[in-house]
Amino acid sequence: MMKLHRKLFLALSLMACGMLGLSLNACSDDIPADKYYTFTGQMMSDYLKENAQYSEFVAIVNRASGSQRGVNLMDLISTYGQFTCFAPDNDAVAAFLKQGGYASVSDIPADVCDTIARTHLLNGRAYNTQDMVGSNSLSTVNMNDRYLQVQQGYVFQGEDGLPVYTTDTLAIEGKEDIRSTFRLNRSGYIAYNEANDSVENGIIHHVTAVLSSSNQVVSDLLDDNPGVKLFNQAMRLTGISAWMRERVKDESWNPDAYEPRSVYSGAQYDYCHIPETKNYGFTVFVCPDSVLQKRYKITDMQSFYDYARGIYGGEQLDVNDAANAGKLMEKSSPLRRLIAYNILNTKAMYDNLVCLTSIDKTLINPTTWYGTLDSLTSIKVEKLTMTRYIDRTAGDVQNDIYLNRGDMKRGSTTRGIHVLSKMDEDYEIEGVNGVYYITNGLVDYGQKTKDDVFNTRMRVDMYYMFPELMTNNIRDGRTQNRIADSNNPDKTVTSPNYWFPNGYLDNVKVNEDGIFLFQSQHNTYWSYEGDEFNLASDVNSYDIEFNLPSVPSGTYQIRLGFTAMATRGICQFYLDGVPQGVPFDMRSDNFITRTGWFPLTGNHGYDAEELEAAKKNMHNLGWYHGPRSAYNVIGEGHPDDYSDRSYFCNSGDGGHAIVRYVLGTANLDENVQHRVRIKSVWAVGTALVMLDYFELVPKSVYGVESAGKAEDDM
């Protein structure tokens, strides 16, 4: 097996081709067609037309009804940009025609051709095979707004002389000419000898089948998997499946009613798009029948209901009595609450469940908190990267995702529920409105979870507070397409930025003069996880309201993470309409004097006792250093593991300060949807309000000052 792993690594290394690298500064790649610059070299369209083995795919692209969506696809891939094309050869198209009962490409309806073409094309990033290593899906959606699932495997020559694809390492023992490759969407695999073909505007991979995606909603996909009948039945019994089936897309959203905007962010103009879609999305964590039966003694709907009632309480019911059907669908039903808590209110592909950008994974497990379909609840999602807290004898799997794992640093023994990273080859897991994953257990929002899992600092990036963002592929991995900003020709733009009119984000309300914008992800930014939200205005007046993440009842310190700069303003924070404390100044002027800031690591001149005293002084003034575990990369275009890092805990004396500010301390009620309001007090000269992330810290954490037990700096 050791020889096999070396062979796999060598094969992948030989397959890998470097991505196009551009050093850029600010904004977007989705721009009007007349703004594209066309190269004189061979473009993707030229490559496909000039290679006879792709003539049928070219016919599909030409027949596609792309113009109905505002762009002709063949024209698009003849222009400047970064595209990836997974091109099926003529044999693959012939197999598709035979299966579909078509005599030729001309018999395929134009809208079907459009779907096929868009399934095989990605706009915004050029992927080579090295980018796919270790992934479950590509991080950028295709032009059909779906993620392509990636499965790493092997190809060898079968006894009939034809290539055989497998993911089974035992199946390739003793075989000759073994090649590593990737299968996409459980369909065709990349022909290893025709991968990573570079053209002026991207990369082309030869694939051996026409790729497809399911048109089912995610709840109906469970019908095809015989191993999840109990969970599937519970979803239907509680009405969740039917409810989800009706939520695919908000047809009332009309992006044409708004215009993109260029907003000056203090250092550059940010070209901000309007989201094109407002789709609904869900992520379902499914506990299979085998685990339900063995671990929880759940064998039917009655035992499922009784188990849920043991956690949430409620009325004793005979679930088989038709008269109780309505009660099972009520939001207070214990079975409905249990199932709903195992479902996120956003669509998240496995590799995107947590963010790795600008997080030192040796110092902290990348973690975030999501809302669930069980009203007023949150769930912890964590990727195990720190070897110090991994116990393989207990079944921990490094680099996999866990739900509601306790804080091991604070002595918790709750190991959490494992979300399996290995996808079943036999079943489709992604539907039009969501995705499901298999777990090794059920998560719940019972008292034990509240007391243990939530006994920690909750740090929630603003991105995760609005489920529409991940569902609609905002922050989707597109990078570095160059296009000049019309307001500042010397600047360039990269991944898309967005601004959100009232009505797009369901729980957000902005005053009519405010512009709520999202600056897309860059590892060079002074922003947690590389992106941030800003509130701007044309008339120097901002006022925004949104929901605070839900937590168990208790006393919490509420903090805002942001970067203080000269271009910021002064704001007042409100909780449920009540002002909290005095207005806080986001400017960097005289910052060290008024906050007591000092570099947390390095040569600061303090011994250990003086260091703790200096930190306590900052805390008493309402300020905390930026996280020790977060950093930005110095210099454009470097990967996250580049050695030239600037850690947030030391950023405070160079014209900017990456900090956390205590907005207030409050008693939060788990049965109430608490609302945040941030209103400008001073916003002269387009000064911005920066909203990066919130921290909700229970008194059991922030109130402890004793050595060895106090809150860490991570």
Side-chain angles (χ1 to χ4, degrees), residues 563-576:
T563 300
M565 294 176 62
T567 54
R568 308 295 190 212
I570 303 174
C571 314
Q572 178 65 56
F573 170 69
Y574 300 77
L575 181 64
D576 298 327

Side-chain angles (χ1 to χ4, degrees), residues 514-533:
I515 307 166
F516 192 41
L517 65 99
F518 172 78
Q519 286 190 305
S520 59
Q521 194 174 65
H522 302 265
N523 62 7
T524 57
Y525 279 5
W526 300 324
S527 310
Y528 190 71
E529 298 189 354
D531 55 16
E532 65 190 55
F533 286 80

Side-chain angles (χ1 to χ4, degrees), residues 313-342:
E315 182 181 1
Q316 185 173 359
L317 291 178
D318 179 357
V319 300
N320 298 307
D321 186 345
N324 292 325
K327 293 182 178 180
L328 293 171
M329 296 183 185
E330 294 175 357
K331 288 188 175 182
S332 60
S333 161
L335 182 58
R336 191 188 188 285
R337 289 202 64 190
L338 178 63
I339 296 300
Y341 189 69
N342 284 261

Side-chain angles (χ1 to χ4, degrees), residues 531-555:
D531 55 16
E532 65 190 55
F533 286 80
N534 282 291
L535 194 59
S537 172
D538 294 327
V539 295
N540 304 327
S541 174
Y542 330 118
D543 197 344
I544 187 171
E545 291 184 27
F546 50 87
N547 291 345
L548 192 69
S550 296
V551 292
S553 296
T555 302

Side-chain angles (χ1 to χ4, degrees), residues 620-635:
N620 289 338
L621 293 171
W623 296 93
Y624 284 71
H625 290 85
R628 187 196 289 258
S629 60
Y631 62 89
N632 67 291
V633 174
I634 301 172

Side-chain angles (χ1 to χ4, degrees), residues 285-565:
F285 298 114
V286 180
C287 185
D289 295 349
S290 58
V291 176
L292 290 174
Q293 293 164 3
K294 182 177 181 180
R295 184 171 180 175
Y296 304 103
K297 310 305 180 186
I298 295 173
T299 57
D300 55 19
M301 288 302 98
Q302 188 63 57
S303 55
F304 215 150
Y305 179 87
D306 292 341
Y307 173 80
R309 184 169 168 268
I311 297 167
Y312 294 105
E315 182 181 1
Q316 185 173 359
L317 291 178
D318 179 357
V319 300
N320 298 307
D321 186 345
N324 292 325
K327 293 182 178 180
L328 293 171
M329 296 183 185
E330 294 175 357
K331 288 188 175 182
S332 60
S333 161
L335 182 58
R336 191 188 188 285
R337 289 202 64 190
L338 178 63
I339 296 300
Y341 189 69
N342 284 261
I343 304 175
L344 304 184
N345 58 5
T346 191
K347 177 183 176 181
M349 303 307 290
Y350 193 94
D351 297 330
N352 296 340
L353 277 164
V354 298
C355 179
L356 307 182
T357 298
S358 300
I359 304 296
D360 190 328
K361 298 175 285 296
T362 67
L363 298 178
I364 195 170
N365 284 336
T367 301
T368 194
W369 304 75
Y370 288 88
T372 78
L373 291 194
D374 184 21
S375 301
L376 301 178
T377 65
S378 298
I379 189 171
K380 183 183 182 185
V381 180
E382 182 174 0
K383 186 182 182 75
L384 301 195
T385 59
M386 296 178 63
T387 56
R388 177 181 177 186
Y389 296 103
I390 291 175
D391 184 354
R392 289 180 172 81
T393 63
D396 291 350
V397 179
Q398 189 166 17
N399 294 318
D400 271 13
I401 296 291
Y402 283 75
L403 307 176
N404 280 358
R405 186 178 174 90
D407 189 341
M408 300 297 169
K409 291 182 179 180
R410 298 184 60 80
S412 174
T413 58
T414 301
R415 311 212 71 83
I417 296 301
H418 182 199
V419 183
L420 278 62
S421 60
K422 181 175 174 55
M423 307 306 169
D424 196 311
E425 298 179 34
D426 298 323
Y427 307 110
E428 181 76 58
I429 66 166
E430 184 192 3
V432 292
N433 67 343
V435 61
Y436 79 87
Y437 305 108
I438 300 299
T439 68
N440 74 338
L442 293 165
V443 281
D444 65 68
Y445 200 63
Q447 195 59 48
K448 182 179 179 182
T449 298
K450 297 174 186 178
D451 293 341
D452 186 0
V453 175
F454 286 79
N455 180 31
T456 188
R457 174 184 58 224
M458 289 178 57
R459 181 179 297 150
V460 188
D461 190 88
M462 287 283 289
Y463 176 80
Y464 297 100
M465 291 170 62
F466 312 118
E468 297 88 350
L469 302 185
M470 182 171 285
T471 295
N472 291 279
N473 311 316
I474 293 169
R475 190 213 264 183
D476 73 346
R478 288 177 286 182
T479 56
Q480 299 186 355
N481 272 9
R482 183 185 179 92
I483 176 65
D485 188 304
S486 59
N487 290 303
N488 191 340
D490 294 329
K491 293 291 185 180
T492 55
V493 297
T494 53
S495 304
N497 297 332
Y498 294 88
W499 79 276
F500 305 104
N502 277 321
Y504 186 79
L505 303 176
D506 286 343
N507 73 59
V508 177
K509 181 181 178 182
V510 184
N511 67 320
E512 61 181 17
D513 296 321
I515 307 166
F516 192 41
L517 65 99
F518 172 78
Q519 286 190 305
S520 59
Q521 194 174 65
H522 302 265
N523 62 7
T524 57
Y525 279 5
W526 300 324
S527 310
Y528 190 71
E529 298 189 354
D531 55 16
E532 65 190 55
F533 286 80
N534 282 291
L535 194 59
S537 172
D538 294 327
V539 295
N540 304 327
S541 174
Y542 330 118
D543 197 344
I544 187 171
E545 291 184 27
F546 50 87
N547 291 345
L548 192 69
S550 296
V551 292
S553 296
T555 302
Y556 290 82
Q557 196 177 79
I558 304 171
R559 304 173 190 160
L560 175 68
F562 69 98
T563 300
M565 294 176 62

